[in-house]
Amino acid sequence: MSERNSKLSRRELFGRLAGRSRSETRARQAPDEHPATLRADELLRGGDYEKAAELYARLLMREPEFPQGYRRLGWCYLKLGQTSEARRVLEDLLQREGDDATALLYIGLSHAMDGAADKAVTVWRDVHDYNRIVVQREVNFILFQADSGQTPGAEDLVERVEKVIAEQNHMPGSQGAYF
């Protein structure tokens, strides 16, 4: 069995003879084009958050400078109800990227999911993502309500933010989806 695993395929052998190796090519691939990322993205879109989270976590171990991986892993944890784990991952991203608007949005969402509307609002004060205007408009409206002394309940915040994230993700010409 170990002998079979050590053999090269014909494609790999000829590739190496020609100076190219599939494994080397994959290693040099951008993280968002890596087959593991593409598979994790497919699982995420299909709603299999647990398997997608496993793949993103493994990918981030190999590619710690992949911000989309942190965002997507954080989203998976949110969808699985693992809010503290989502915050941990997203705070790691903030350590690397500074004030990442998506990470801040998700951290606020995690607080709202935990029933802490005031904490969510506090985090959302730092969200400035004018390329995704649908979400930014809703965040601004929530902040206006909070400043007016009418902070919505945590459940309402979760529902509203998840709804506008879905809207933003489906907008034609959107400046990128949230996951």
Side-chain angles (χ1 to χ4, degrees):
M1 187 162 125
S2 63
E3 180 182 293
R4 178 164 171 74
N5 288 341
S6 66
K7 290 184 179 180
L8 297 174
S9 69
R10 280 185 263 174
R11 181 181 291 166
E12 184 73 12
L13 177 63
F14 289 123
R16 286 186 182 184
L17 291 172
R20 295 182 309 269
S21 168
R22 283 176 44 191
S23 56
E24 287 175 20
T25 302
R26 281 191 176 158
R28 283 183 269 144
Q29 256 178 334
D32 59 335
E33 297 173 0
H34 193 279
T37 305
L38 299 176
R39 177 67 179 138
D41 290 348
E42 181 181 310
L43 291 167
L44 176 64
R45 283 189 300 275
D48 193 345
Y49 303 112
E50 193 168 328
K51 286 183 184 174
E54 289 174 21
L55 287 175
Y56 288 127
R58 277 191 261 152
L59 182 68
L60 287 172
M61 289 172 59
R62 288 191 317 257
E63 298 287 343
E65 300 300 320
F66 181 42
Q68 295 92 337
Y70 289 93
R71 292 181 199 120
R72 294 170 188 161
L73 179 57
W75 181 256
C76 288
Y77 286 143
L78 288 175
K79 297 306 275 183
L80 292 168
Q82 299 174 8
T83 55
S84 60
E85 195 63 23
R87 278 192 297 274
R88 182 193 60 77
V89 167
L90 296 164
E91 287 167 359
D92 284 350
L93 174 58
L94 290 176
Q95 292 288 323
R96 297 172 188 283
E97 294 286 319
D99 56 346
D100 185 281
T102 303
L104 291 167
L105 180 71
Y106 289 174
I107 289 171
L109 183 58
S110 73
H111 285 301
M113 291 171 83
D114 286 343
D118 291 337
K119 282 185 179 180
V121 169
T122 299
V123 172
W124 287 335
R125 291 192 184 284
D126 293 326
V127 173
H128 306 288
D129 192 354
Y130 296 103
N131 289 323
R132 296 181 178 122
I133 198 66
V134 173
V135 172
Q136 187 64 52
R137 180 190 67 216
E138 188 65 27
V139 167
N140 289 345
F141 186 60
I142 290 168
L143 296 177
F144 171 77
Q145 287 180 307
D147 291 344
S148 301
Q150 301 171 351
T151 303
E155 285 182 24
D156 185 38
L157 291 176
V158 171
E159 184 179 316
R160 288 169 59 180
V161 170
E162 286 183 339
K163 180 181 175 196
V164 296
I165 287 172
E167 286 176 31
Q168 184 72 57
N169 285 344
H170 291 15
M171 276 190 65
S174 180
Q175 292 292 317
Y178 272 93
F179 50 76

